[in-house]
Amino acid sequence: MSARIWPVLAIFALWQAVCAAALVPAFVLPPPLRVFETLWHERGLIGQHALTTLAETGAGLALGIGLGVTLALAMALAPWLQRLIGPVLAGGAGAAGLRAGAGAGAVAGLWAGAQGGDGGAAGGLSRRLGAA
């Protein structure tokens, strides 16, 4: 076996040992075998949703690029627009890290099933992996 595989195997062995010893509840850290089993059994559903997510991400990227290029050209051709919008765009750059952190927190909350309602797709997947 390649030397690169040993650290990966060690991480999975440690993960399985922690779960087998019940050091962490299964709804917080499901065993790796259950994760792989769930991924295998739900592969069709995961693939379908992955394609939807990929399409939505691509559409968002295209929209963002289109709007960004359009706004940049408009600001380059109209100096008054650059003076009007430029400081707002420059000021927003400093808060980008804060917005990214808030987004990561929202994703973590969705995965944990912390949102209301039926739990959504992420809550359902976490329930199938052993959550209460």
Side-chain angles (χ1 to χ4, degrees), residues 56-130:
E56 290 173 351
T57 303
L61 178 63
L63 182 64
I65 289 172
L67 290 175
V69 168
T70 302
L71 184 59
L73 287 173
M75 290 173 58
L77 296 173
W80 64 269
L81 187 60
Q82 198 281 329
R83 286 191 305 274
L84 180 69
I85 298 175
V88 174
L89 296 177
L98 178 63
R99 288 192 299 266
V107 169
L110 286 172
W111 175 255
Q115 78 282 11
D118 65 355
L125 184 58
S126 66
R127 279 192 297 281
R128 285 191 289 274
L129 290 173

Side-chain angles (χ1 to χ4, degrees), residues 2-107:
S2 172
R4 292 182 184 186
I5 194 76
W6 290 112
V8 174
L9 290 176
I11 289 170
F12 282 116
L14 178 65
W15 179 7
Q16 184 66 38
V18 166
C19 293
L23 298 175
V24 178
F27 70 90
V28 174
L29 182 67
L33 296 177
R34 187 178 311 159
V35 171
F36 295 136
E37 179 182 330
T38 302
L39 286 172
W40 179 255
H41 289 296
E42 301 293 336
R43 67 188 179 276
L45 179 66
I46 292 170
Q48 177 186 1
H49 288 285
L51 288 175
T52 301
T53 300
L54 184 62
E56 290 173 351
T57 303
L61 178 63
L63 182 64
I65 289 172
L67 290 175
V69 168
T70 302
L71 184 59
L73 287 173
M75 290 173 58
L77 296 173
W80 64 269
L81 187 60
Q82 198 281 329
R83 286 191 305 274
L84 180 69
I85 298 175
V88 174
L89 296 177
L98 178 63
R99 288 192 299 266
V107 169

